[in-house]
Amino acid sequence: MIRLENISKQNSHRILFVEASAALNRGEKIGLVGPNGAGKTTLFRMITGEEAPDDGRVTVEKQVTIGYFNQDVGEMAGRSAVAEVMDGAGPVSAVAAELAGLEAAMADPDRADEMDAIIERYGEVQARFEELGGYELEGRAREVLAGLSFSQEMMDADVGALSGGWKMRVALARILLMRPDVMLLDEPSNHLDLESLIWLEAFLKGYDGALLMTSHDREFLNRIVSKIIEIDDGSLTSYSGDYAFYERQRALHAKQQQAQFDRQQAMLAKELKFIERFKARASHASQVQSRVKKLDKIERFEPPRRRQTVVFDFPPAPRSGEDVAVLKGVHKGYGSRIIYEGLDLTIRRKERWCVLGVNGAGKSTLLKLVAGSTEPDSGTVTVGGSVKMGYFSQHAMELLDGDRSVFESLEASFPLADQGALRALAGCFGFSGDDVEKRCRVLSGGEKARLVMAIMLFNPPNFLVLDEPTNHLDLDTKEMLITALSAYEGTMLFVSHDRHFLATLSNRVLELTPDGIHQYGGGYTEYVARTGQEAPGLHPTSFQPAGR
């Protein structure tokens, strides 16, 4: 369906692709992976025709429809979320808009003298709407939005009032409802809660078109894709299998390449030693000359490229008391909405609590109560003796001073620290060379998250309270954080929609549901085995992506 043939592409001084080739065939589900800045979004833009390759060509079969979702959703305002989603389905959306306008006109007493004409036009438009399958489409649009955790009120409210994350869900719903021949999804798993993520996973599994997507969620990739295309060092390499298979194959290939390189280096060293030893002897002149010529003709093997990865290194934290945080009889509400009513929870040393619950269940509120950034309406929250807390939230990223550089931010947080120690800290969190001079206002979401973590962990806390710490991290950085936290000796309370993060790090589960609050001994894996579900509040949906 789509072919990239010997494409080359350069952005400014950065070479992204050099004579690279790949294909997306009918019905294939492919994960697109590679380091940040490797060219994943540029590849999508070349397929949609928004950018052209410098050399080579991108061919798309005639009459193939493409739906492209990316993080730049643009302006949305002036109509409901459901109308915005239906707009992606083509002509029917214009008919729906006229129908809504006529319904408003019929209810307008100032237009009573036009009523006969309005009613006549309404009948014509309604017939056209039915002919285009409009009523069915609206039902499907609502099912998609419900799958992405929209309430009925949110579906009918002005989309302009939604936050950026919810607008992204609307943009994603447009593509899902459109049912194109090919979906290009750039980070569709960002900004989704666990329930929405699991619903989207089921939807994409049942989708019969071709799919090319990026995601920083390895579990999500593993369950959907059956092929990986890796962008690295200007080339496109295909692997037949899921993300876990790709990781194993890449490691095996690197090991083989290193062995091949080492063998050649040993042979070259031996030959050069012979040449150096006998080059002055006339009796060995022909042998020396022969070996010099042989070395000139040998194709040199390259060692495997080492990906630059962030290494999180937790210094040992001071020991806390046994009771790290105790909540007794906690009540908390916002206006008429009650979040907690008599909550009791004790978090003990070395426990790692993950908090699960649907949107609005109070996950972030619980973390704020424990961190002291919000107060209970009644009841007590007590943090134990010798507890040194590190609290990570999305709000902390917004508090970075945009005019300060990365290094100035570290200096401001630790004015007495040695400059060498701060540079080493910056390097551990992926800020090397000139990166430390970047102003905070130009940092990406992932860079801001890494900087906030660096500040939080420099003087190591013994109690980590983490609200979606992996939201903006790429796969490699996320893996390094999981590895480091696995060796962390302190206590943790966290919210995450990343199932790999949940399964690897939790040893307790707090489940927030409308039926009550449930505590589970054992981690997320045991919770899934015990409850038979991956998240609370999951309801089977009748929506199935229809064939085209």
Side-chain angles (χ1 to χ4, degrees):
M1 297 175 83
I2 297 173
R3 300 191 70 79
L4 299 101
E5 299 173 277
N6 297 316
I7 58 164
S8 295
K9 181 73 175 175
Q10 187 169 337
N11 275 354
S12 186
H13 299 297
R14 189 180 180 86
I15 295 171
L16 297 177
F17 300 102
V18 182
E19 296 185 353
S21 298
L24 176 62
N25 300 312
R26 210 167 284 279
E28 279 189 324
K29 293 184 170 70
I30 298 177
L32 184 64
V33 302
N36 281 338
K40 297 188 288 291
T41 300
T42 301
L43 187 74
F44 283 139
R45 291 172 64 85
M46 286 194 289
I47 291 172
T48 59
E50 293 171 58
E51 288 191 37
D54 299 333
D55 286 302
R57 62 179 185 165
V58 178
T59 56
V60 180
E61 280 182 20
K62 283 183 181 177
Q63 296 177 327
V64 163
T65 55
I66 295 176
Y68 175 36
F69 167 79
N70 63 20
Q71 301 294 303
D72 183 15
V73 297
E75 287 300 313
M76 288 184 187
R79 54 184 170 185
S80 68
V82 74
E84 189 72 40
V85 171
M86 287 171 67
D87 185 51
V92 70
S93 60
V95 181
E98 187 179 355
L99 204 59
L102 289 164
E103 284 169 355
M106 285 192 288
D108 186 350
D110 295 337
R111 300 186 66 178
D113 55 339
E114 304 171 56
M115 203 52 66
D116 288 346
I118 290 171
I119 290 170
E120 185 181 347
R121 179 60 185 159
Y122 184 80
E124 293 167 2
V125 175
Q126 190 178 43
R128 176 66 177 145
F129 191 63
E130 284 180 5
E131 186 186 314
L132 291 169
Y135 289 111
E136 179 195 346
L137 188 73
E138 181 176 341
R140 294 173 72 79
R142 288 183 182 276
E143 285 187 65
V144 172
L145 286 168
L148 295 175
S149 298
F150 279 77
S151 65
Q152 292 298 324
E153 293 76 18
M154 289 171 73
M155 292 180 202
D156 292 316
D158 188 335
V159 72
L162 298 175
S163 69
W166 285 99
K167 283 179 180 175
M168 283 193 187
R169 295 191 197 206
V170 171
L172 177 59
R174 280 172 64 111
I175 305 300
L176 301 181
L177 185 69
M178 178 184 168
R179 300 199 305 272
D181 299 312
V182 178
M183 277 192 208
L184 306 178
L185 304 181
D186 196 359
E187 293 297 341
S189 52
N190 270 8
H191 301 284
L192 295 185
D193 55 85
L194 190 52
E195 286 78 13
S196 301
L197 192 68
I198 292 165
W199 179 88
L200 177 60
E201 186 179 282
F203 180 97
L204 293 176
K205 278 183 186 172
Y207 167 64
D208 61 358
L211 171 68
L212 180 66
M213 72 170 180
T214 63
S215 176
H216 291 162
D217 187 322
R218 59 183 296 138
E219 192 63 33
F220 187 66
L221 282 172
N222 274 336
R223 296 187 188 199
I224 295 167
V225 306
S226 55
K227 184 176 173 181
I228 295 287
I229 293 178
E230 179 191 49
I231 307 178
D232 200 13
D233 199 25
S235 64
L236 293 169
T237 308
S238 296
Y239 296 81
S240 294
D242 60 14
Y243 185 79
F245 174 81
Y246 150 74
E247 276 194 312
R248 291 193 299 271
Q249 287 299 110
R250 190 181 69 178
L252 181 62
H253 178 67
K255 189 176 177 183
Q256 290 169 340
Q257 197 177 346
Q258 185 67 52
Q260 197 176 41
F261 174 75
D262 290 343
R263 281 196 301 272
Q264 189 178 66
Q265 290 300 300
M267 182 273 291
L268 291 174
K270 187 178 175 183
E271 293 294 316
L272 289 169
K273 188 176 179 183
F274 179 91
I275 291 166
E276 192 61 35
R277 183 177 176 188
F278 294 110
K279 66 182 178 182
R281 296 191 190 179
S283 60
H284 288 73
S286 62
Q287 286 175 278
V288 167
Q289 199 60 35
S290 169
R291 294 193 183 202
V292 168
K293 285 179 181 176
K294 177 185 165 187
L295 292 190
D296 285 343
K297 289 177 183 176
I298 284 177
E299 184 182 343
R300 298 292 203 270
F301 294 128
E302 293 291 326
R305 289 180 75 250
R306 303 284 180 202
R307 277 211 183 151
Q308 188 179 12
T309 51
V310 182
V311 178
F312 296 99
D313 185 15
F314 284 79
R319 180 179 169 134
S320 70
E322 286 303 311
D323 286 350
V324 174
V326 179
L327 291 82
K328 280 189 180 172
V330 167
H331 285 63
K332 182 67 182 176
Y334 295 101
S336 61
R337 190 160 149 259
I338 295 169
I339 306 293
Y340 292 112
E341 201 167 13
L343 170 64
D344 293 321
L345 175 67
T346 299
I347 299 170
R348 294 186 172 83
R349 190 172 74 86
K350 288 200 170 187
E351 288 182 339
R352 295 157 173 248
W353 286 87
C354 72
V355 186
L356 303 179
V358 297
N359 271 319
K363 300 187 294 293
S364 293
T365 300
L366 175 64
L367 270 56
K368 287 176 184 174
L369 285 164
V370 171
S373 65
T374 193
E375 295 292 324
D377 299 333
S378 63
T380 60
V381 179
T382 309
V383 174
S386 307
V387 169
K388 184 180 175 188
M389 189 187 302
Y391 175 42
F392 178 91
S393 70
Q394 305 305 308
H395 181 58
M397 292 160 62
E398 295 162 18
L399 296 179
L400 292 170
D401 185 335
D403 292 326
R404 280 183 180 153
S405 69
V406 168
F407 194 74
E408 286 166 351
S409 299
L410 294 175
E411 280 187 312
S413 300
F414 310 107
L416 301 178
D418 174 73
Q419 284 220 348
L422 291 184
R423 288 195 180 275
L425 174 69
C428 282
F429 284 82
F431 298 105
S432 55
D434 294 341
D435 287 345
V436 294
E437 303 305 329
K438 277 186 179 178
R439 300 282 154 197
C440 288
R441 65 171 167 268
V442 303
L443 296 180
S444 68
E447 288 170 325
K448 285 179 181 175
R450 295 205 312 263
L451 177 55
V452 170
M453 282 183 194
I455 292 168
M456 182 177 72
L457 298 170
F458 183 61
N459 285 324
N462 51 29
F463 181 31
L464 288 175
V465 179
L466 308 174
D467 194 355
E468 294 286 4
T470 65
N471 248 7
H472 299 278
L473 302 184
D474 62 34
L475 277 159
D476 288 336
T477 307
K478 193 184 287 187
E479 199 56 42
M480 293 305 296
L481 177 62
I482 289 171
T483 301
L485 287 174
S486 297
Y488 172 66
E489 291 289 320
T491 306
M492 289 172 63
L493 174 69
F494 62 92
V495 173
S496 176
H497 67 255
D498 188 291
R499 284 162 290 179
H500 180 48
F501 191 89
L502 291 169
T504 308
L505 297 175
S506 62
N507 59 24
R508 298 284 187 281
V509 174
L510 186 71
E511 181 190 52
L512 312 178
T513 75
D515 305 326
I517 295 169
H518 311 288
Q519 300 182 21
Y520 294 87
Y524 177 72
T525 304
E526 289 82 1
Y527 163 83
V528 173
R530 224 162 130 187
T531 63
Q533 60 183 21
E534 292 190 291
L538 279 180
H539 302 292
T541 173
S542 59
F543 186 91
Q544 289 296 325
R548 291 170 309 281

